Amino acid sequence: ASQLGEVHLLVAGAGCAAVADEAAKIAGVGKVHLADDASLGHALAENAAPLIVGLMDSHDAVLFPATSNGKNIAPRVAALLDVMQISDILSVEGADTFTRPIYAGNAIATVKTSDKKLVITVRGTAFAKADANGGSGTVEAVSGASDTGISKFVSAEIAKSERPELTSAKIIVSGGRALQNSENFHSIIEPLADKLGAGVGASRAAVDAGYVPNDYQVGQTGKIVAPEVYIAVGISGAIQHLAGMKDSKTIIAINKDEDAPIFQVADIGLVGDLFKIVPELTEKL
């Protein structure tokens, strides 16, 4: 956002004043708009979108992370503003020009918009983190939030894990279809991840087969990650999976098929039986 001009943040939720105060300390933030209303408590897109549209009178662009939440709200904002959304940007080339991946990241498109108001989702792994301290933004309350009555929050099942969250983990151990079943996944992948203090990921094939829940999924239709180290165990490396992890700093692949596509992107490749290799590796760490 700072590459486009002065940055204002929107903190929307219920009882979120403390978050706004923290957000004001982020380096580069000029102003924090605080929308504190019960209708925003569960980030329902139908309630958040009209609020954001109201703020667009005095702003040129609104940026969201390309997460499930961002992808939920941004298209509604774009539709209400009658503009084209610019999705999953990798870089800012100018005030109206951006790059974004197409064909599962095999080509990078440069897009230029003629819209006066920009609605953008951002691939977080493509940009450096902002410093959480050093800013001196001001907090300004905004009104106008209300319950549109279109949707309501019913319940949430939150997966709790002692391991790092995938999108922020420095090390990720991912398992694929070759693990054969859920028991093998847990008994082979998780001890290695625990030894390394790593997050646990999975390929779509492993998720579809029911080995692990879908919030483990890394790839084009899962989470986009870029850890320091990515260990792919029994993952062949379909193009959609590579799209989610090929920006990792070091990629280690373990697979019995020496022709598996994963080896084309791997920095370190080990050909062999994962059922022997991985427990041995875990034991030696």
Side-chain angles (χ1 to χ4, degrees):
S2 62
Q3 295 179 43
L4 291 171
E6 185 185 342
V7 179
H8 292 182
L9 296 183
L10 170 64
V11 173
C16 56
V19 178
D21 292 338
E22 284 295 305
K25 297 174 188 169
I26 297 172
V29 172
K31 192 182 287 183
V32 177
H33 299 289
L34 170 60
D36 197 331
D37 191 272
S39 66
L40 300 167
H42 297 288
L44 294 179
E46 292 81 358
N47 293 346
L51 171 75
I52 294 166
V53 170
L55 288 168
M56 289 305 288
D57 287 342
S58 55
H59 294 86
D60 299 316
V62 57
L63 283 73
F64 301 83
T67 57
S68 53
N69 203 29
K71 291 174 184 176
N72 194 17
I73 301 172
R76 289 175 163 85
V77 173
L80 289 166
L81 291 170
D82 196 22
V83 300
M84 291 288 285
Q85 176 177 309
I86 305 164
S87 302
D88 213 16
I89 68 164
L90 300 173
S91 70
V92 178
E93 301 296 316
D96 59 359
T97 309
F98 308 88
T99 63
R100 60 180 301 270
I102 56 173
Y103 304 130
N106 277 302
I108 306 300
T110 300
V111 294
K112 184 171 182 172
T113 180
S114 56
D115 288 326
K116 295 293 177 270
K117 302 287 184 185
L118 308 186
V119 178
I120 298 167
T121 64
V122 178
R123 181 170 294 199
T125 55
F127 293 86
K129 287 182 181 175
D131 195 333
N133 294 297
S136 55
T138 56
V139 178
E140 180 183 279
V142 292
S143 56
S146 63
D147 189 349
T148 57
I150 301 172
S151 65
K152 66 177 181 178
F153 176 79
V154 178
S155 65
E157 291 179 31
I158 310 296
K160 288 189 171 61
S161 173
E162 298 301 311
R163 299 187 184 93
E165 158 61 21
L166 267 182
T167 49
S168 58
K170 287 204 164 96
I171 304 171
I172 292 174
V173 180
S174 266
R177 195 201 321 248
L179 285 145
Q180 299 172 354
N181 56 48
S182 180
E183 292 76 26
N184 287 345
F185 194 103
H186 293 301
S187 65
I188 287 175
I189 298 295
E190 291 181 358
L192 176 57
D194 290 341
K195 277 270 181 85
L196 295 168
V200 174
S203 67
R204 178 168 183 168
V207 170
D208 285 353
Y211 303 170
V212 286
N214 62 6
D215 55 333
Y216 282 45
Q217 187 177 321
V218 171
Q220 189 176 17
T221 51
K223 291 183 169 127
I224 308 287
V225 299
E228 300 292 320
V229 180
Y230 187 90
I231 303 175
V233 179
I235 293 175
S236 61
I239 191 169
Q240 292 85 353
H241 186 78
L242 300 185
M245 46 61 82
K246 66 182 179 195
D247 289 333
S248 306
K249 308 295 180 288
T250 302
I251 298 170
I252 300 167
I254 301 171
N255 201 300
K256 68 178 181 185
D257 176 9
E258 63 186 45
D259 295 322
I262 192 79
F263 289 125
Q264 292 171 14
V265 298
D267 300 287
I268 300 166
L270 185 55
V271 177
D273 182 355
L274 69 88
F275 294 103
K276 289 184 187 148
I277 289 170
V278 179
E280 189 182 339
L281 175 60
T282 305
E283 191 184 315
K284 289 185 173 176
L285 281 168

